[in-house]
Amino acid sequence: MKITLSVIKADIGGFPGHSQVHQKCMDVAGESLSKSDLLIDYRVMHCGDDLELIMTHQKGVDNKEIHKLAWNTFLEATKVSKELKLYGAGQDLLSDSFSGNVKGMGPGVAEMEFEERKSEPVIVFMADKTEPGAWNMPLYKIFADPFNTAGLVIDPSMHDGFVFEVHDVIDHKKVEFHTPEELYDLLVLIGATDRYCIKSVKTKKGEIGAVSSTQRLNLMAGKYVGKDDPVCVVRAQHGLPALGEVLEPFSFPHLVKGWMRGSHQGPLMPVNFKDAHPTRFDGPPRVIAAGFQLANGKIVGPADLFDDPAFDYARTKANYVADYMRRHGPFEPHRLPLSEMEYTTLPHVMDKLKERFKPIE
Ligand code: F6R
Ligand code: MG
Ligand code: MG
């Protein structure tokens, strides 16, 4: 049975500030999806101020009706957001009219279509206060690093390696890399997380393993309208990395871009669902992992996968690193370089100072 799993998300207003989604918005989103006969099943979740629609159906990826359903659901939730005067109500809905595909209109999208296996474990990662490049390091580790994924070495069905599709989100181009043969070439690109993002990973036989959202909202809008907080879907087990191999990279809270005003570096903290509300300095950036089994497209779950003492050390370390980074205040590398900040007063300051600059002898 061919199933499409679509995860579509948007920030339709925060409560309070940019910290989380109000329960009423979640309820309205659930009602909107429940009325549709397009879906096999759905779940409504949130990570921080991002409303996450997790949907199964049989219409394939980039389907107009599914995207319209998501768009209308965000509009319904935005109505509540406006009534309650929540913060930044409708901030990710950049256009007033739906054009057939939510891509490029604000919401983030990660979709995959596959033949449902005898047993189909999937993990949906949802992050807040960071950007799609945040998945580069974990996806690399999951599918290409034998120090993370034992199966690359000892499972004959994974030994051949994988194919990574990388998007240049600035020039809108894509390129594929085969691993392990082209590891070093792949790393040259994906180390530049603000420009090159891993869009998908497939087996060499073409079976989809992972897909991420690669929108860059701030670029799309041409001005600051909020960060493109990303989602990522990974299938696990039986020829793909095991559930524990998929989660393992998050035991290291790597530095990502985002945090306060989309203009700082901080550690990506793995948290349980109830802690998915960035507070300290609007952060630190955080990620949740929702584990599901699919049964003929029906969604079984979620299981709260980071709700596990095995990730306590990563959280402690993230707090330590957050504190260390914070002590830098407005200095790089805590604050991002000028070219990567989402807010900048530089033009105003330069304008004010322009008469005062003198040539250096
Ligand atoms: C938004 C975000 C926040 C805001 C910050 C300032 O996703 O991460 O850190 O950038 O709270 O927000 P404004 O400018 O709306 O007051
Ligand atoms: Mg927000
Ligand atoms: Mg957000």
Side-chain angles (χ1 to χ4, degrees):
M1 183 178 182
K2 264 209 161 167
I3 298 293
T4 311
L5 175 59
S6 299
V7 182
I8 306 187
K9 48 103 358 203
D11 178 342
I12 51 89
F15 156 72
H18 290 283
S19 68
Q20 55 185 306
V21 177
H22 195 281
Q23 187 58 45
K24 275 196 178 160
C25 297
M26 309 265 292
D27 295 345
V28 164
E31 272 166 41
S32 161
L33 295 184
S34 73
K35 285 186 209 138
S36 166
D37 51 10
L38 299 169
L39 304 179
I40 304 176
D41 208 354
Y42 67 89
R43 293 287 183 275
V44 175
M45 299 186 67
H46 81 95
C47 182
D49 58 3
D50 292 281
L51 179 61
E52 320 268 357
L53 311 179
I54 300 168
M55 302 170 284
T56 52
H57 55 92
Q58 291 200 286
K59 303 209 166 268
V61 302
D62 280 336
N63 180 272
K64 200 173 168 170
E65 293 173 285
I66 299 293
H67 281 225
K68 188 162 180 58
L69 173 63
W71 183 259
N72 288 342
T73 301
F74 292 137
L75 289 180
E76 290 299 312
T78 300
K79 275 189 208 154
V80 178
S81 226
K82 287 190 171 154
E83 269 164 39
L84 301 179
K85 290 181 67 179
L86 300 184
Y87 197 68
Q91 73 166 43
D92 283 359
L93 309 180
L94 300 182
S95 162
D96 291 337
S97 52
F98 177 74
S99 67
N101 192 312
V102 291
K103 276 190 203 160
M105 297 185 75
V109 188
E111 296 182 286
M112 51 162 76
E113 187 184 31
F114 49 82
E115 192 66 42
E116 189 180 290
R117 296 170 292 170
K118 206 166 100 195
S119 182
E120 189 60 67
V122 291
I123 300 157
V124 179
F125 292 103
M126 295 161 256
D128 190 34
K129 304 293 178 267
T130 185
E131 60 177 11
W135 305 129
N136 283 5
M137 191 194 282
L139 284 173
Y140 170 80
K141 286 187 177 172
I142 295 166
F143 290 97
D145 178 5
F147 281 77
N148 180 87
T149 298
L152 292 167
V153 180
I154 61 179
D155 178 349
S157 57
M158 283 173 61
H159 202 79
D160 276 354
F162 290 91
V163 182
F164 286 71
E165 182 179 309
V166 175
H167 284 196
D168 175 342
V169 293
I170 309 241
D171 266 358
H172 297 284
K173 287 186 178 150
K174 58 182 181 181
V175 53
E176 276 188 358
F177 292 99
H178 287 234
T179 58
E181 311 86 283
E182 300 179 300
L183 274 185
Y184 299 159
D185 291 346
L186 172 68
L187 283 168
V188 171
L189 266 62
I190 64 170
T193 51
D194 56 314
R195 173 154 199 169
Y196 297 101
C197 299
I198 299 173
K199 178 66 193 173
S200 69
V201 186
K202 290 187 178 139
T203 66
K204 291 199 172 151
K205 290 190 178 124
E207 182 88 5
I208 186 80
V211 65
S212 75
S213 61
T214 51
Q215 283 70 23
R216 287 212 64 184
L217 192 54
N218 44 336
L219 292 181
M220 283 162 17
K223 62 179 174 63
Y224 176 76
V225 284
K227 274 176 299 301
D228 22 11
D229 302 313
V231 290
C232 179
V233 183
V234 185
R235 293 167 80 202
Q237 307 289 157
H238 199 70
L240 291 167
L243 186 91
E245 290 169 335
V246 176
L247 300 176
E248 176 66 7
F250 297 92
S251 63
F252 170 62
H254 65 297
L255 289 174
V256 296
K257 293 164 188 166
W259 205 347
M260 174 58 79
R261 297 173 187 276
S263 304
H264 293 82
Q265 310 243 28
L268 185 63
M269 184 191 258
V271 294
N272 61 35
F273 298 162
K274 90 172 167 37
D275 292 331
H277 47 79
T279 48
R280 181 179 178 189
F281 197 57
D282 284 1
R286 52 198 76 193
V287 56
I288 55 172
F292 301 102
Q293 289 285 148
L294 299 185
N296 305 314
K298 284 273 176 202
I299 299 175
V300 183
D304 186 351
L305 296 172
F306 289 143
D307 186 17
D308 182 335
F311 287 95
D312 284 351
Y313 181 64
R315 293 187 265 269
T316 302
K317 193 165 203 165
N319 273 324
Y320 178 84
V321 172
D323 217 51
Y324 174 83
M325 294 301 280
R326 280 299 301 124
R327 297 282 82 84
H328 293 78
F331 285 82
E332 299 175 13
H334 179 35
R335 202 210 63 196
L336 291 176
L338 292 170
S339 59
E340 290 179 39
M341 286 164 65
E342 284 182 358
Y343 287 64
T344 178
T345 44
L346 184 71
H348 305 288
V349 175
M350 288 312 264
D351 200 46
K352 202 175 67 188
L353 296 181
K354 69 176 182 278
E355 302 302 325
R356 290 169 49 190
F357 271 96
K358 306 277 179 262
I360 300 172
E361 306 299 309

